[in-house]
């Protein structure tokens, strides 16, 4: 789910037979943001990241955090 509307629609259904084993734990996204990263990137890459984030309806910084988290999870 990427929007509040999707989450609300999900919660509006009967969840009594839901298998919670299929859920992935939310890790760093819920943690307070206490450190800052500054990096220089090519403008076309930033534009592509912002466009992909807009397609998903999320801030581009969150998309970058998700990519970093996937990379360190292995």
């Amino acid at each position: 789910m990427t929007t509040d509307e999707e989450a609300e629609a999900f919660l509006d259904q009967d969840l009594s037979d839901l298998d919670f084993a299929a859920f992935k734990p939310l890790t760093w996204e819920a943690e307070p943001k206490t450190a800052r990263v500054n990096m220089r990137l090519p403008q076309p890459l930033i534009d592509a990241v912002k466009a992909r984030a807009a397609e998903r309806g999320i801030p581009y910084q969150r998309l970058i955090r998700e990519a970093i988290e996937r990379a360190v999870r292995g």
Side-chain angles (χ1 to χ4, degrees):
M1 290 173 260
T2 59
T3 66
D4 289 341
E5 290 78 19
E6 288 176 356
E8 289 172 9
F10 176 76
L11 293 173
D12 283 341
Q13 60 183 319
D14 179 11
L15 302 176
S16 59
D17 292 329
L18 188 63
D19 177 13
F20 287 97
F23 282 77
K24 292 187 230 174
L26 181 65
T27 55
W28 289 303
E29 189 56 39
E31 294 287 324
K33 310 311 181 266
T34 56
R36 183 178 295 259
V37 173
N38 185 5
M39 64 176 64
R40 298 182 63 77
L41 299 170
Q43 189 62 49
L45 178 57
I46 288 293
D47 293 341
V49 167
K50 288 181 177 182
R52 178 64 55 95
E55 289 172 7
R56 291 188 46 200
I58 63 172
Y60 74 95
Q61 295 96 335
R62 182 179 303 161
L63 183 69
I64 293 169
R65 281 194 305 268
E66 289 176 359
I68 293 169
E69 185 174 342
R70 276 193 306 273
V72 299
R73 264 197 226 148

